[in-house]
Amino acid sequence: LLAAAGHGPIGRPAGGLSSSGVRALEAGLPEVFAASAAALSRSLAGARTLVCLDPGDALALRRDYPTLGHPIGAQVVHLTEAVAGRLPPLRRVIDGDVLYLDACRLGRGLGIYDAPRRVLAEVIGGAVVEAVLHHAEGGCCGVGGGFAATQPEAAARVATEAIDGGPDGWDAPALPVVIASGVCATHLGAAAGPGRTIHDWTTLIAAALPEGAPDTDEEGA
């Protein structure tokens, strides 16, 4: 996606580091997070732009790293920001409507709402339908903060409510779901009922690239 959007050269942080350490912070290990922040910030010396696939990573890099004394010199952006308005004409990969869910760290955390919706609208034949709770009121997929690991049944209920509206239901139609978070998409997919399709935004948009679009399997693709 980055190559197709005209970004380049594309590389990874020195030493092959790819984790912000935010999962350690969520697990109650601030010292591990601080060590990860120090290591990753050093490995990014000289970088101009850092594109994060996971909104939780982007939020940690923007918000938490500076408080630890490890500000990132590069501009930190999420993938949806990096490619919006820069991709070639995309192919249609879904004919009808889709239900879009705001990932909490992407929306309420980073304030990114419009970019993923604009790109998504290009690859579907119908409308981007909003859940009842959306934008700044968007809920949670249930996977954050180690919740899915420590309380899997409760986390599954949160996921079910996110896509179906809970035990009483709501007016969100039973459409294919799209969310711009890989970990949320995986968690929602495990909780979804038979026949309900959950799409990770990144995977869906990558599938919509036209044949012959620039691509790369190199570092940081």
Side-chain angles (χ1 to χ4, degrees), residues 30-130:
E31 67 284 355
V32 176
F33 175 63
S36 296
L40 185 58
S41 62
R42 288 194 299 268
S43 75
L44 291 169
R48 290 178 296 177
T49 305
L50 177 62
V51 179
C52 296
L53 300 181
D54 185 274
D57 287 333
L59 182 59
L61 289 158
R62 289 185 186 181
R63 180 190 65 189
D64 300 319
Y65 273 39
T67 66
L68 293 173
H70 301 298
I72 301 297
Q75 180 187 19
V76 178
V77 298
H78 185 259
L79 179 65
T80 56
E81 297 175 291
V83 304
R86 300 186 54 147
L87 291 169
L90 298 170
R91 298 183 295 113
R92 181 184 297 178
V93 291
I94 295 177
D95 288 331
D97 300 341
V98 300
L99 177 67
Y100 181 79
L101 296 182
D102 288 290
C104 62
R105 288 177 176 81
L106 184 68
R108 287 184 282 116
L110 295 170
I112 299 173
Y113 298 107
D114 295 336
R117 286 170 167 84
R118 286 201 307 270
V119 180
L120 179 58
E122 297 180 33
V123 307
I124 63 175
V128 178
V129 177
E130 302 287 358

